[in-house]
């Protein structure tokens, strides 16, 4: 991940896309065997025998037929799972996205250069935005090196979805609109949308074909902030994006029917590079305790986030940062990659802009004002009530573990992921006196359009190890003896996982 930039002769970001292998279909036998292994720790002898019988009948009966259909599908699609996964996991779900699907959280910049500080919101927002735009430009010009696992090239398609992307609600199924283009493919939208106090503004991030500087971005953000502080709050139309998906789809249709200009505004939001949310809260956090920042990023003011956008950059009033992102178009490692890049840039410059303070002549931000009627106002109020009610039913604690890191784990010849997963199993076992049904994400990015796959870290070996660790009569040698199969099995399970 460290190699972000590439020289003129280096690899292009998307150059390997056409040569990536297709996603393979696992054998029926291995799938069923893995299923039984995942069930074993939770089933009694009687339950497991009944499950094994059902699996055997499936394998000898309809399973064979279904497997042949899968193999046929895989002959015509380079990724036989992609469409099904996107539909079932994201687009067909009717649950509200922001608390059930989106991923959100804090940025790490407060640890290295931007501790909470009054009066820094806009200045930091402008620097953060500038670095984000540099990252967009790296992808657009294909100067970001393709990511690899060792020497194996990984699929980079998800990086196309970070910018200029938005989910659009449908009555039965949502769709993803992606407006991003590389330089060789043609023009790409270059405007951002700023949200503040229930209002939306937009401005172009380019001037004479160049990314505008932090002082220029600051001028634009200050204009938005000052107007919003001097004038009444906006309608908060973005609150509708927190709704149950069919309700939001119908409200959106009504919004377009009221006034065709509303559709133009929606298109402006959808095609924008990303959203900058100017948030008035001060979720004081420290490198040891990120709880407040995490809670605000996840559950904060719905009138200043567009829940369906692939990236909402949230700048809080105390100068700390967070984000909320629609999960449908890409997975969190894409955002982690960008945040890591920005963090590196901020650390190198101590979070400051060291270039010219000159501000060129450019248009001021344009406000995007929806025409709303009583129906939409009522929908917004109801959406806000439902959203705030759902946020009250969420508990979040986010502490940083600083006693040691992955280097110390690797020194002991352990995989950090194995270590953490077994620690979670033991913690659950200590509290509940039974195995914990756990899910962890693996990646399939070494295949064409690969995204994620599901792993079940609770193996029988892990349960046996937990029992040995919990039994005061068991001596250390026996515990070590039990740990070897637990670690071995877990490590083989985690081969595809991203650190």
């Amino acid at each position: 991940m460290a190699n972000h930039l590439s020289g003129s002769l280096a690899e292009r970001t998307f150059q390997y896309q056409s040569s990536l292998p297709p996603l393979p279909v696992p054998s029926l036998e291995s799938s069923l065997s893995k299923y039984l292994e995942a069930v074993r720790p939770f089933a009694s002898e009687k339950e497991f025998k009944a499950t094994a019988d059902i699996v055997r009948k499936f394998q000898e009966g309809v399973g064979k037929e279904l497997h042949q259909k899968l193999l046929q599908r895989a002959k015509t699609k380079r990724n036989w799972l992609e469409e099904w996964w996107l539909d079932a996991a994201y687009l067909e779900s009717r649950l509200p996205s922001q608390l059930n699907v989106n991923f959100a959280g804090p940025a790490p910049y407060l640890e290295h250069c931007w501790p909470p500080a009054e009066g820094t919101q806009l200045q930091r927002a402008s620097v953060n935005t500038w670095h984000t735009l540099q990252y967009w430009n790296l992808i657009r010009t294909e100067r970001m090196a393709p990511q690899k696992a060792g020497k194996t090239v990984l699929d980079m398609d998800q990086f196309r979805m970070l910018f200029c992307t938005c989910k659009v609600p449908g009555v039965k199924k949502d769709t993803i609109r992606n407006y991003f283009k590389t330089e060789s493919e043609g023009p790409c939208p270059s405007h951002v949308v700023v949200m503040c106090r229930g209002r939306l503004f937009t401005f172009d991030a380019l001037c004479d074909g160049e990314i505008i500087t932090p002082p220029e971005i600051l001028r634009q953000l200050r204009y938005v902030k000052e107007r919003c502080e001097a004038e009444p709050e906006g309608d908060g139309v973005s609150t509708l994006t927190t709704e149950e998906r069919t309700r939001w789809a119908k409200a959106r249709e009504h919004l377009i029917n009221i006034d065709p200009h509303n559709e133009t505004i929606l298109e402006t939001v959808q095609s924008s590079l990303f959203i900058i949310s100017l948030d008035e809260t001060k979720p004081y956090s420290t490198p040891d305790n990120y709880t407040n920042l995490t809670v605000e990023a996840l559950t904060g003011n719905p009138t200043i986030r567009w829940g369906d956008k692939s990236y909402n950059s949230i700048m809080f009033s105390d100068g700390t940062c967070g984000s909320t992102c629609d999960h449908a178009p890409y997975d969190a490692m894409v955002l982690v990659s960008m945040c890591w890049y920005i963090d590196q840039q901020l650390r190198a410059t101590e979070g400051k802009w060291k270039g010219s303070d000159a501000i060129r002549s450019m248009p001021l931000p344009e406000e995007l004002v929806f025409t709303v009627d009583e129906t939409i106002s009522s929908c917004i109020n109801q959406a806000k009530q439902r959203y705030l009610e759902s946020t009250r039913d969420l508990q979040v604690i986010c502490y940083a573990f600083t006693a040691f890191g992955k280097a110390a784990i690797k020194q002991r010849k352990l995989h950090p992921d194995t270590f953490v997963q077994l620690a979670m199993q033991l913690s659950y076992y200590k509290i509940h006196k039974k195995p914990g049904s756990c899910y962890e994400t693996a990646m399939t990015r070494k295949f064409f359009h690969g995204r994620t796959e599901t792993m079940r870290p609770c193996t029988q070996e892990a349960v046996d190890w937990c029992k040995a660790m919990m039994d005061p009569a068991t001596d250390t040698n026996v515990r070590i003896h039990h740990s070897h199969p637990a670690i071995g099995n877990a490590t083989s399970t985690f081969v595809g996982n991203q650190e």
Side-chain angles (χ1 to χ4, degrees):
M1 188 128 68
N3 183 19
H4 266 298
L5 307 179
S6 47
S8 57
L9 298 174
E11 301 156 308
R12 315 284 292 167
T13 308
F14 303 110
Q15 78 175 64
Y16 298 112
Q17 289 302 110
S18 58
S19 57
L20 287 164
L23 183 72
V25 179
S27 72
L28 181 61
E29 292 72 21
S30 72
S31 294
L32 296 178
S33 165
K34 280 183 177 176
Y35 172 70
L36 285 173
E37 278 179 29
V39 167
R40 186 74 192 90
F42 306 100
S44 66
E45 288 300 325
K46 186 179 174 185
E47 287 168 335
F48 188 73
K49 185 178 180 304
T51 304
D53 286 344
I54 291 167
V55 166
R56 191 182 65 255
K57 284 173 189 164
F58 177 83
Q59 185 170 356
E60 292 165 358
V62 72
K64 278 185 181 175
E65 186 188 331
L66 291 171
H67 192 68
Q68 286 309 309
K69 288 185 174 182
L70 259 191
L71 293 171
Q72 283 301 117
R73 180 179 171 89
K75 283 180 184 174
T76 60
K77 293 182 182 287
R78 288 180 67 189
N79 189 316
W80 57 269
L81 180 61
E82 180 179 21
E83 196 180 319
W84 286 346
W85 179 259
L86 193 59
D87 284 353
Y90 299 115
L91 303 182
E92 289 172 353
S93 169
R94 301 291 83 197
L95 287 170
S97 288
Q98 277 190 58
L99 290 181
N100 296 287
V101 179
N102 284 26
F103 55 88
Y109 317 136
L110 66 85
E111 292 190 29
H112 305 133
C113 50
W114 283 351
E118 291 290 325
T120 61
Q121 181 190 34
L122 297 186
Q123 185 270 330
R124 288 178 180 179
S126 63
V127 173
N128 186 22
T129 298
W130 186 80
H131 286 302
T132 306
L133 292 167
Q134 298 302 315
Y135 196 74
W136 161 67
N137 196 42
L138 285 177
I139 300 172
R140 178 157 158 69
T141 55
E142 293 194 71
R143 287 180 299 118
M144 190 176 81
Q147 293 182 348
K148 297 180 181 181
K151 291 186 178 178
T152 306
V153 175
L154 301 179
D155 185 278
M156 296 294 288
D157 188 64
Q158 292 179 54
F159 283 83
R160 301 179 64 93
M161 302 291 176
L162 180 55
F163 299 104
C164 308
T165 303
C166 195
K167 188 167 65 185
V168 175
V171 173
K172 290 186 178 174
K173 176 182 159 182
D174 298 345
T175 51
I176 293 171
R177 304 261 177 97
N178 176 245
Y179 305 77
F180 173 82
K181 284 185 179 176
T182 62
E183 211 169 43
S184 61
E185 290 167 344
C188 176
S190 57
H191 62 285
V192 295
V193 166
V194 185
M195 300 182 70
C196 182
R197 292 197 170 190
R199 295 165 69 177
L200 297 98
F201 295 79
T202 185
F203 63 86
D204 202 325
L206 299 182
C207 179
D208 300 328
E210 291 180 2
I211 291 170
I212 61 177
T213 64
E216 290 169 335
I217 297 168
L218 178 60
R219 199 281 299 261
Q220 304 292 60
L221 297 181
R222 191 171 281 147
Y223 171 82
V224 170
K225 188 84 185 289
E226 286 173 358
R227 270 198 59 182
C228 289
E229 285 178 346
E231 297 165 13
E233 286 197 16
D235 294 306
V237 172
S238 65
T239 308
L240 297 172
T241 68
T242 67
E243 264 290 17
E244 185 268 348
R245 301 307 294 173
T246 299
R247 262 201 294 259
W248 165 212
K250 288 177 178 174
R252 186 179 181 278
E253 283 176 8
H254 183 75
L255 198 60
I256 292 167
N257 289 334
I258 297 169
D259 183 344
H261 183 61
N262 284 345
E263 188 165 18
T264 307
I265 296 174
L266 289 166
E267 187 73 10
T268 302
V269 173
Q270 287 159 199
S271 61
S272 64
L273 286 163
F274 55 96
I275 304 286
I276 302 167
S277 300
L278 299 179
D279 197 309
E280 294 180 281
T281 53
K282 298 174 184 177
Y284 184 78
S285 294
T286 67
D288 294 321
N289 186 351
Y290 274 93
T291 299
N292 294 340
L293 199 47
T294 308
V295 169
E296 280 300 329
L298 271 168
T299 67
N301 184 349
T303 72
I304 53 165
R305 292 143 169 73
W306 199 274
D308 293 343
K309 274 299 280 184
S310 56
Y311 179 46
N312 291 259
S313 173
I314 308 167
M315 287 303 306
F316 294 103
S317 187
D318 62 2
T320 54
C321 320
S323 63
T324 179
C325 311
D326 175 38
H327 206 330
Y330 68 97
D331 300 316
M333 283 309 293
V334 173
L335 190 76
V336 168
S337 299
M338 183 175 76
C339 286
W340 184 88
Y341 164 84
I342 293 172
D343 197 42
Q344 293 293 100
Q345 305 303 313
L346 291 175
R347 290 171 83 172
T349 57
E350 299 166 321
K352 297 182 176 72
W353 167 246
K354 299 187 176 178
S356 166
D357 286 335
I359 297 173
R360 289 167 289 182
S361 174
M362 62 184 74
L364 288 167
E366 174 198 350
E367 185 166 12
L368 305 170
V369 184
F370 285 101
T371 303
V372 302
D373 62 7
E374 283 184 21
T375 302
I376 289 295
S377 295
S378 173
C379 287
I380 291 168
N381 289 333
Q382 287 171 19
K384 194 181 289 186
Q385 273 182 311
R386 277 190 276 263
Y387 173 75
L388 294 175
E389 210 169 295
S390 64
T391 64
R392 282 196 284 271
D393 193 29
L394 185 67
Q395 286 182 301
V396 179
I397 295 171
C398 185
Y399 290 130
F401 181 81
T402 55
F404 57 86
K406 68 179 181 181
I409 299 168
K410 284 181 172 178
Q411 280 172 3
R412 288 159 179 78
K413 303 285 189 286
L414 291 170
H415 192 294
D417 209 334
T418 307
F419 181 92
V420 170
Q421 290 298 325
L422 287 175
M424 286 167 68
Q425 289 297 321
L426 183 56
S427 302
Y428 189 93
Y429 206 96
K430 278 183 173 179
I431 295 167
H432 300 287
K433 308 295 184 284
K434 62 180 182 180
S437 175
C438 247
Y439 152 89
E440 197 193 5
T441 306
M443 70 161 179
T444 56
R445 280 179 60 202
K446 65 180 181 180
F447 305 109
F448 179 76
H449 283 192
R451 284 190 60 170
T452 61
E453 194 42 271
T454 300
M455 299 187 305
R456 303 291 171 191
C458 186
T459 60
Q460 189 57 49
E461 293 86 351
V463 176
D464 294 342
W465 172 74
C466 286
K467 287 177 179 174
M469 293 295 286
M470 289 292 292
D471 183 358
T474 305
D475 70 24
T476 304
N477 288 330
V478 175
R479 287 175 176 176
I480 290 169
H481 170 74
H482 274 292
S483 74
H484 287 306
I487 290 167
N489 192 304
T491 302
S492 67
T493 305
F494 299 137
V495 163
N497 195 37
Q498 298 190 132
E499 256 176 62

